[in-house]
Amino acid sequence: MTDLIPIGRFSRMTRLSIKALRFYDEQGMLKPLRVDPSSGYRFYGRVQANRAEAIRILRSTGMPIDEIREVLAEDDPERTGKRLAMHRERLLERLAEQERMLRFLERLIDRGEGVMPYQVTVKQAEPKFVAALRLRTSLAAAGADVQRGFGTLVQAMSAAGAGPVCKPFVIHHEVVDEQTDGDIEICIPVSPGTTFPDGPVRAVEIPGGQVAATVHRGPYAEISPAYHYVTGWIQEQGHQHAGPPREIYLNDPQTVTQDDLLTEVQFPISYG
Protein backbone atom coordinates (compact mmCIF):
# COMPACT_ATOMS: atom_id res chain seq x y z
CA MET A 1 0.00 0.00 0.00
CA THR A 2 2.95 2.34 0.61
CA ASP A 3 3.81 2.15 -3.10
CA LEU A 4 0.44 3.57 -4.15
CA ILE A 5 0.59 6.98 -5.86
CA PRO A 6 -2.31 9.44 -5.57
CA ILE A 7 -3.88 10.46 -8.86
CA GLY A 8 -2.56 14.03 -8.64
CA ARG A 9 1.06 12.93 -8.30
CA PHE A 10 0.58 10.22 -10.95
CA SER A 11 -0.81 12.91 -13.26
CA ARG A 12 2.35 15.00 -12.85
CA MET A 13 4.53 11.92 -13.28
CA THR A 14 2.90 10.81 -16.54
CA ARG A 15 1.96 14.23 -17.97
CA LEU A 16 -1.64 13.05 -18.28
CA SER A 17 -4.32 15.28 -16.82
CA ILE A 18 -6.53 14.01 -14.02
CA LYS A 19 -9.45 14.28 -16.44
CA ALA A 20 -7.58 12.11 -18.96
CA LEU A 21 -6.70 9.52 -16.30
CA ARG A 22 -10.34 9.27 -15.29
CA PHE A 23 -11.33 8.88 -18.93
CA TYR A 24 -8.79 6.10 -19.53
CA ASP A 25 -10.06 4.39 -16.39
CA GLU A 26 -13.62 4.50 -17.76
CA GLN A 27 -12.36 3.10 -21.06
CA GLY A 28 -10.66 0.18 -19.30
CA MET A 29 -7.24 1.21 -20.58
CA LEU A 30 -5.53 2.37 -17.40
CA LYS A 31 -7.39 1.36 -14.27
CA PRO A 32 -6.06 2.48 -10.87
CA LEU A 33 -4.67 -0.15 -8.56
CA ARG A 34 -6.97 1.02 -5.80
CA VAL A 35 -10.04 3.23 -5.47
CA ASP A 36 -10.87 4.48 -1.98
CA PRO A 37 -14.38 3.09 -1.26
CA SER A 38 -15.48 6.13 0.74
CA SER A 39 -14.01 9.01 -1.28
CA GLY A 40 -13.65 7.40 -4.73
CA TYR A 41 -10.08 8.71 -4.86
CA ARG A 42 -7.84 6.84 -7.29
CA PHE A 43 -4.37 5.47 -6.57
CA TYR A 44 -1.87 4.14 -9.12
CA GLY A 45 1.34 2.18 -9.05
CA ARG A 46 4.75 3.17 -10.36
CA VAL A 47 4.69 0.10 -12.63
CA GLN A 48 1.79 1.68 -14.53
CA ALA A 49 3.86 4.65 -15.70
CA ASN A 50 5.08 2.86 -18.84
CA ARG A 51 1.51 1.97 -19.84
CA ALA A 52 0.47 5.58 -19.26
CA GLU A 53 3.34 6.80 -21.44
CA ALA A 54 2.36 4.40 -24.22
CA ILE A 55 -1.20 5.73 -24.13
CA ARG A 56 0.00 9.34 -24.13
CA ILE A 57 2.25 8.79 -27.15
CA LEU A 58 -0.32 6.82 -29.15
CA ARG A 59 -2.99 9.45 -28.48
CA SER A 60 -0.60 12.22 -29.53
CA THR A 61 -0.20 10.47 -32.89
CA GLY A 62 -3.95 10.31 -33.37
CA MET A 63 -4.55 6.60 -32.83
CA PRO A 64 -8.25 5.96 -31.99
CA ILE A 65 -9.13 4.83 -28.48
CA ASP A 66 -10.41 1.43 -29.63
CA GLU A 67 -7.15 0.66 -31.42
CA ILE A 68 -5.04 1.74 -28.43
CA ARG A 69 -7.08 -0.59 -26.25
CA GLU A 70 -6.38 -3.45 -28.66
CA VAL A 71 -2.66 -2.66 -28.82
CA LEU A 72 -2.39 -2.64 -25.04
CA ALA A 73 -4.35 -5.90 -24.77
CA GLU A 74 -2.14 -7.79 -27.23
CA ASP A 75 0.16 -10.41 -25.76
CA ASP A 76 1.69 -11.22 -29.16
CA PRO A 77 4.58 -8.85 -30.06
CA GLU A 78 4.21 -9.73 -33.75
CA ARG A 79 0.55 -8.72 -33.84
CA THR A 80 1.32 -5.57 -31.88
CA GLY A 81 4.04 -4.75 -34.40
CA LYS A 82 1.59 -5.18 -37.27
CA ARG A 83 -0.93 -2.86 -35.63
CA LEU A 84 1.73 -0.22 -35.07
CA ALA A 85 2.95 -0.61 -38.67
CA MET A 86 -0.59 -0.01 -39.94
CA HIS A 87 -0.84 3.14 -37.84
CA ARG A 88 2.55 4.28 -39.13
CA GLU A 89 1.25 3.98 -42.70
CA ARG A 90 -1.73 6.12 -41.77
CA LEU A 91 0.58 8.75 -40.31
CA LEU A 92 2.67 8.77 -43.48
CA GLU A 93 -0.48 9.20 -45.58
CA ARG A 94 -1.57 12.05 -43.32
CA LEU A 95 1.84 13.71 -43.64
CA ALA A 96 1.69 13.43 -47.42
CA GLU A 97 -1.79 14.97 -47.36
CA GLN A 98 -0.61 17.87 -45.21
CA GLU A 99 2.39 18.47 -47.47
CA ARG A 100 0.09 18.48 -50.50
CA MET A 101 -2.24 21.00 -48.81
CA LEU A 102 0.75 23.24 -48.05
CA ARG A 103 1.70 23.18 -51.74
CA PHE A 104 -1.91 24.06 -52.59
CA LEU A 105 -1.77 26.96 -50.11
CA GLU A 106 1.43 28.21 -51.71
CA ARG A 107 -0.28 28.25 -55.11
CA LEU A 108 -3.21 30.21 -53.66
CA ILE A 109 -0.87 32.76 -52.06
CA ASP A 110 1.13 33.11 -55.30
CA ARG A 111 -2.08 34.09 -57.09
CA GLY A 112 -2.65 37.01 -54.72
CA GLU A 113 -6.20 38.28 -55.05
CA GLY A 114 -6.88 36.05 -58.03
CA VAL A 115 -8.68 32.71 -57.95
CA MET A 116 -8.10 29.45 -59.73
CA PRO A 117 -9.33 29.57 -63.37
CA TYR A 118 -12.73 27.96 -63.91
CA GLN A 119 -15.32 28.11 -66.65
CA VAL A 120 -18.96 28.41 -65.60
CA THR A 121 -21.79 27.08 -67.74
CA VAL A 122 -25.54 27.30 -67.23
CA LYS A 123 -27.49 24.14 -68.03
CA GLN A 124 -30.66 22.30 -67.25
CA ALA A 125 -30.20 19.59 -64.60
CA GLU A 126 -32.69 16.77 -64.99
CA PRO A 127 -34.62 15.43 -61.97
CA LYS A 128 -32.95 12.36 -60.48
CA PHE A 129 -34.46 9.47 -58.56
CA VAL A 130 -31.86 8.48 -55.98
CA ALA A 131 -30.96 6.31 -53.06
CA ALA A 132 -30.21 8.97 -50.44
CA LEU A 133 -28.64 9.08 -47.01
CA ARG A 134 -28.84 12.34 -45.09
CA LEU A 135 -26.51 12.88 -42.16
CA ARG A 136 -24.88 15.56 -40.04
CA THR A 137 -21.12 15.88 -40.24
CA SER A 138 -18.17 18.04 -39.24
CA LEU A 139 -15.30 19.38 -41.30
CA ALA A 140 -12.89 16.88 -39.77
CA ALA A 141 -15.21 13.90 -40.29
CA ALA A 142 -16.77 14.82 -43.63
CA GLY A 143 -14.44 12.77 -45.84
CA ALA A 144 -14.81 9.60 -43.76
CA ASP A 145 -18.57 10.15 -43.35
CA VAL A 146 -19.07 10.48 -47.11
CA GLN A 147 -17.03 7.35 -47.76
CA ARG A 148 -18.98 5.35 -45.18
CA GLY A 149 -22.23 6.84 -46.47
CA PHE A 150 -21.60 5.64 -49.99
CA GLY A 151 -20.80 2.21 -48.55
CA THR A 152 -24.14 2.20 -46.73
CA LEU A 153 -25.96 3.17 -49.93
CA VAL A 154 -24.25 0.46 -51.97
CA GLN A 155 -25.21 -2.18 -49.39
CA ALA A 156 -28.83 -1.03 -49.35
CA MET A 157 -28.95 -0.95 -53.15
CA SER A 158 -27.50 -4.44 -53.36
CA ALA A 159 -30.11 -5.75 -50.93
CA ALA A 160 -32.83 -4.10 -53.04
CA GLY A 161 -31.41 -5.49 -56.29
CA ALA A 162 -30.72 -1.99 -57.59
CA GLY A 163 -27.72 -0.58 -59.39
CA PRO A 164 -26.46 2.94 -60.10
CA VAL A 165 -27.77 4.58 -63.27
CA CYS A 166 -25.74 7.80 -63.13
CA LYS A 167 -22.84 9.47 -61.32
CA PRO A 168 -23.07 9.74 -57.52
CA PHE A 169 -23.24 13.13 -55.84
CA VAL A 170 -23.49 14.91 -52.51
CA ILE A 171 -25.85 17.79 -51.68
CA HIS A 172 -24.49 20.27 -49.13
CA HIS A 173 -27.62 21.44 -47.35
CA GLU A 174 -25.64 23.55 -44.87
CA VAL A 175 -22.19 25.10 -44.66
CA VAL A 176 -19.72 22.84 -42.84
CA ASP A 177 -16.60 24.52 -41.45
CA GLU A 178 -14.28 24.33 -38.44
CA GLN A 179 -16.86 25.97 -36.20
CA THR A 180 -20.09 24.54 -37.57
CA ASP A 181 -21.44 21.06 -38.27
CA GLY A 182 -24.00 20.70 -41.03
CA ASP A 183 -26.30 18.38 -42.98
CA ILE A 184 -25.23 16.69 -46.19
CA GLU A 185 -27.13 14.24 -48.38
CA ILE A 186 -25.25 11.44 -50.11
CA CYS A 187 -26.98 10.28 -53.30
CA ILE A 188 -26.65 7.53 -55.90
CA PRO A 189 -29.12 7.70 -58.83
CA VAL A 190 -31.20 4.52 -59.22
CA SER A 191 -34.09 3.43 -61.41
CA PRO A 192 -37.45 5.09 -60.60
CA GLY A 193 -39.63 2.84 -58.45
CA THR A 194 -36.73 1.42 -56.44
CA THR A 195 -37.75 1.00 -52.81
CA PHE A 196 -35.89 0.42 -49.58
CA PRO A 197 -37.17 -0.99 -46.28
CA ASP A 198 -37.36 1.24 -43.23
CA GLY A 199 -33.92 2.51 -42.38
CA PRO A 200 -31.55 5.39 -43.01
CA VAL A 201 -31.51 4.95 -46.80
CA ARG A 202 -34.47 6.54 -48.59
CA ALA A 203 -35.66 6.60 -52.19
CA VAL A 204 -36.32 10.22 -53.15
CA GLU A 205 -36.48 12.41 -56.23
CA ILE A 206 -34.07 15.30 -56.44
CA PRO A 207 -35.66 18.12 -58.45
CA GLY A 208 -34.06 19.41 -61.61
CA GLY A 209 -33.75 23.00 -62.82
CA GLN A 210 -31.24 25.54 -64.01
CA VAL A 211 -27.77 25.25 -62.49
CA ALA A 212 -24.54 27.17 -62.75
CA ALA A 213 -21.80 24.58 -62.98
CA THR A 214 -18.07 24.19 -63.25
CA VAL A 215 -15.69 21.24 -63.17
CA HIS A 216 -12.88 21.01 -60.65
CA ARG A 217 -9.87 18.88 -61.54
CA GLY A 218 -7.81 17.67 -58.61
CA PRO A 219 -8.17 16.49 -55.02
CA TYR A 220 -11.50 16.90 -53.26
CA ALA A 221 -9.77 18.85 -50.46
CA GLU A 222 -8.83 21.58 -52.96
CA ILE A 223 -12.33 22.19 -54.32
CA SER A 224 -13.12 25.38 -52.37
CA PRO A 225 -11.90 27.80 -55.10
CA ALA A 226 -14.50 26.29 -57.46
CA TYR A 227 -17.21 27.29 -54.98
CA HIS A 228 -15.72 30.78 -54.69
CA TYR A 229 -15.65 31.19 -58.45
CA VAL A 230 -19.21 29.97 -59.13
CA THR A 231 -20.78 31.98 -56.30
CA GLY A 232 -18.94 35.08 -57.49
CA TRP A 233 -20.10 34.46 -61.05
CA ILE A 234 -23.72 34.07 -59.90
CA GLN A 235 -23.54 37.42 -58.10
CA GLU A 236 -21.90 39.16 -61.07
CA GLN A 237 -24.60 37.88 -63.42
CA GLY A 238 -27.38 39.06 -61.10
CA HIS A 239 -28.78 35.55 -60.59
CA GLN A 240 -30.21 34.14 -57.35
CA HIS A 241 -29.29 30.97 -55.48
CA ALA A 242 -32.21 28.54 -55.73
CA GLY A 243 -31.04 25.61 -53.64
CA PRO A 244 -28.07 23.95 -51.96
CA PRO A 245 -24.97 23.18 -54.05
CA ARG A 246 -24.12 19.69 -55.27
CA GLU A 247 -20.88 17.89 -55.98
CA ILE A 248 -21.12 15.30 -58.76
CA TYR A 249 -18.23 12.84 -58.83
CA LEU A 250 -17.40 12.24 -62.48
CA ASN A 251 -14.74 9.57 -62.01
CA ASP A 252 -13.67 6.98 -59.46
CA PRO A 253 -10.93 7.78 -56.91
CA GLN A 254 -10.07 4.08 -56.96
CA THR A 255 -9.08 4.21 -60.63
CA VAL A 256 -7.45 7.65 -61.07
CA THR A 257 -4.88 9.68 -59.20
CA GLN A 258 -5.96 12.54 -56.95
CA ASP A 259 -4.69 15.05 -59.50
CA ASP A 260 -7.01 13.54 -62.14
CA LEU A 261 -10.19 13.52 -60.04
CA LEU A 262 -13.04 15.37 -61.75
CA THR A 263 -15.85 16.90 -59.68
CA GLU A 264 -18.67 19.01 -61.08
CA VAL A 265 -19.90 21.72 -58.72
CA GLN A 266 -23.50 22.76 -59.38
CA PHE A 267 -25.45 25.64 -57.84
CA PRO A 268 -29.21 25.74 -58.59
CA ILE A 269 -30.07 29.26 -59.74
CA SER A 270 -33.00 31.44 -60.71
CA TYR A 271 -32.66 34.45 -62.97
CA GLY A 272 -32.64 37.81 -61.27
Side-chain angles (χ1 to χ4, degrees), residues 240-263:
Q240 303 296 321
H241 293 273
R246 310 168 187 175
E247 290 180 12
I248 297 90
Y249 305 109
L250 303 180
N251 54 10
D252 186 349
Q254 301 297 322
T255 60
V256 300
T257 66
Q258 286 204 42
D259 289 338
D260 290 326
L261 288 170
L262 296 175
T263 308

Side-chain angles (χ1 to χ4, degrees), residues 131 150-164 188 190 194-197 201:
F150 276 125
T152 299
L153 289 177
V154 169
Q155 289 179 354
M157 290 164 56
S158 177
I188 299 179
V190 293
T194 302
T195 59
F196 301 97
V201 176

Side-chain angles (χ1 to χ4, degrees), residues 48-156:
Q48 294 178 288
N50 283 348
R51 186 181 183 90
E53 179 67 3
I55 293 172
R56 189 184 67 80
I57 292 174
L58 291 173
R59 284 298 289 159
S60 71
T61 64
M63 180 177 280
I65 290 293
D66 289 344
E67 291 188 22
I68 295 176
R69 187 185 296 110
E70 291 172 358
V71 167
L72 296 175
E74 290 286 8
D75 293 328
D76 186 343
E78 183 177 350
R79 292 180 62 182
T80 299
K82 288 181 179 179
R83 290 186 184 276
L84 294 177
M86 290 173 59
H87 185 57
R88 180 175 182 274
E89 289 301 315
R90 282 205 303 262
L91 294 178
L92 291 174
E93 291 175 2
R94 190 181 307 165
L95 177 61
E97 175 75 7
Q98 291 171 341
E99 290 176 342
R100 183 187 56 71
M101 290 303 293
L102 285 173
R103 292 193 296 269
F104 175 55
L105 178 61
E106 289 172 353
R107 296 200 303 274
L108 286 178
I109 293 174
D110 287 344
R111 294 187 65 85
E113 294 299 320
V115 296
M116 297 295 183
Y118 290 97
Q119 181 177 358
V120 177
T121 60
V122 174
K123 61 183 182 179
Q124 179 72 23
E126 298 300 322
K128 289 184 172 61
F129 192 81
V130 303
L133 176 66
R134 185 159 176 163
L135 53 84
R136 194 159 188 85
T137 190
S138 65
L139 183 64
D145 284 345
V146 169
Q147 186 175 6
R148 283 194 295 269
F150 276 125
T152 299
L153 289 177
V154 169
Q155 289 179 354

Side-chain angles (χ1 to χ4, degrees), residues 186-235:
I186 305 165
C187 304
I188 299 179
V190 293
S191 298
T194 302
T195 59
F196 301 97
D198 292 340
V201 176
R202 302 174 300 121
V204 299
E205 183 173 88
I206 305 299
Q210 293 288 316
V211 298
T214 194
V215 174
H216 169 75
R217 185 186 189 97
Y220 300 136
E222 297 178 7
I223 202 169
S224 289
Y227 279 76
H228 305 164
Y229 195 91
V230 178
T231 54
W233 182 92
I234 292 171
Q235 182 176 359

